[in-house]
Amino acid sequence: MRPLLLVALLSLLVAPAAGAAAPADASAPDRAAIQSDTTLSGTVSYLNGTAVADATVLVGSEARLGNATESELREIAAEQPDGVAATTTNASGGYELTVPAEIDAETVVAVSEAGVSAPRNYVAGRMDLTVRTTSTLTFESPTVPAEPGGRIDLPFTLTHTGDQPLEGLSLSLTTPQGWNFVSASSDTGTFHESNRTFTWDTIEPGETVEANFRIFVGLNAINDSAQVYDLTTFAASDTHSIESSAQVRVRYPTERSDAEAPGFGTPAALIAVAGVAAAALARRD
C-alpha cells in the first residue's frame, strides 16, 4: 500500500503545477503587441554651441545608420527609406520626432550641410546632438633648409576656406631631441609660453592666420648625409578638423656642389695642394 500512496501523492503535486504552466504560456503577451510609438526631442549644435538649423535627425537600425558613410547618410537624409524616421531642426536647432513602433530604433544621427554627428544609441526622451564640420583646414608650412647648430624659422599659415566661423583654434610644435625652442611670434594669435601653444579666437570665413616658431637645430642632426625631419605638430579646433605638418631638411655647412662653388671641386683642390707643396719644396732648396 505504501508504493500506491506515494504515487497518489506525487500525482496530486505534479498535476497542478503542469496545469498552471500552460495558462501562463498562453497568456504571455506578444512582444510586438506591447511596442508603441516613442518620442525624441533635443537640439543639434556645433561644438562651440552654435545652433544648426535645417539639420536632418535620423532614427533607424544600427546596421543602416551606425555603419553608414557620410555620403550614404546624406542620401538617406535627402530621401528617407522605409525603416527610418526623420525630422528637421528649426532655426534654433531644436527638433521633435515621433518614432513609429515599427521602426527598429537603435541609432540616432544628425546630418547637416556642414557635417554629421557621431552615431548615438537611441533612447526615447531628450537627446542633444553635436555636429563636427567636415571641412578640413590645414596649417601650411614649407620645408625649411637648415644646418646643424643653426637657427631657423618655421612659418605656418592657415586660410579659413569654410563657411562657418572657426572657433578654438590652437597650434603647438614639439622639437626633436637635442633641438631647442628659441622664440615664437604671430600677428594674429596669442602665444602661451607655458605650453608653447598658439591660440586664436573666432576666425571668420576667408580670414588667414599665421604663426612662426624659431628653433635651434641640434648639432647631431645628421650623420653623413642630409636628412629631412618631420617635426611633430598639434593642431585642433572646437568646430573644424585641422591638419598641420612641418619639415626641416638638415645638411652639413660644407655641403656644396661644383656648380655652387666653381674652382673648388676635387680636381681644383688637388691642384691647389700640389702647388702649395711645390712652393714649400722650392723654399727649402
Side-chain angles (χ1 to χ4, degrees):
M1 295 299 292
R2 289 182 180 178
L4 294 175
L5 178 60
L6 179 61
V7 170
L9 291 173
L10 290 175
S11 63
L12 290 174
L13 294 173
V14 173
D25 291 339
S27 61
D30 183 16
R31 185 167 182 259
I34 64 173
Q35 289 181 339
S36 60
D37 295 354
T38 56
T39 59
L40 184 69
S41 62
T43 61
V44 178
S45 62
Y46 295 111
L47 286 175
N48 64 349
T50 304
V52 182
D54 297 324
T56 302
V57 178
L58 304 173
V59 176
S61 67
E62 181 180 1
R64 183 185 291 272
L65 301 181
N67 301 318
T69 64
E70 182 176 333
S71 60
E72 290 172 340
L73 289 173
R74 292 189 183 282
E75 292 179 1
I76 295 173
E79 186 174 352
Q80 292 87 44
D82 293 339
V84 174
T87 190
T88 303
T89 59
N90 56 31
S92 300
Y95 73 93
E96 186 171 352
L97 173 64
T98 297
V99 182
E102 61 269 19
I103 296 294
D104 190 3
E106 297 176 332
T107 303
V108 184
V109 65
V111 182
S112 75
E113 291 184 358
V116 300
S117 69
R120 296 189 49 191
N121 294 331
Y122 177 79
V123 178
R126 181 175 180 83
M127 186 173 293
D128 296 330
L129 304 171
T130 303
V131 170
R132 178 181 289 276
T133 59
T134 54
S135 174
T136 300
L137 303 176
T138 303
F139 269 108
E140 304 286 349
S141 181
T143 299
V144 177
E147 296 176 348
R151 295 187 179 188
I152 59 172
D153 288 321
L154 287 175
F156 290 84
T157 303
L158 181 145
T159 299
H160 185 5
T161 57
D163 54 6
Q164 297 289 335
L166 175 60
E167 305 277 358
L169 179 64
S170 63
L171 173 69
S172 61
L173 175 72
T174 300
T175 57
Q177 185 174 5
W179 299 35
N180 292 310
F181 168 80
V182 178
S183 63
S185 61
S186 173
D187 293 335
T188 57
T190 301
F191 184 71
H192 305 271
E193 189 74 33
S194 58
N195 56 7
R196 297 176 183 175
T197 299
F198 283 103
T199 60
W200 289 265
D201 294 329
T202 303
I203 302 168
E204 298 297 333
E207 291 185 353
T208 297
V209 298
E210 55 79 29
N212 184 82
F213 292 94
R214 176 166 291 183
I215 60 176
F216 170 83
V217 180
L219 293 172
N220 61 343
I222 55 177
N223 294 320
D224 55 359
S225 62
Q227 182 174 338
V228 175
Y229 283 81
D230 289 305
L231 273 60
T232 302
T233 60
F234 299 93
S237 164
D238 291 339
T239 54
H240 292 68
S241 298
I242 307 294
E243 294 179 349
S244 62
S245 62
Q247 286 189 334
V248 178
R249 182 182 184 276
V250 183
R251 68 178 191 177
Y252 281 117
T254 56
E255 180 182 316
R256 297 289 187 272
S257 66
D258 292 346
E260 292 174 323
F264 288 92
T266 300
L270 292 175
I271 294 173
V273 171
V276 171
L281 290 173
R283 284 196 297 272
R284 289 181 59 186
D285 295 341

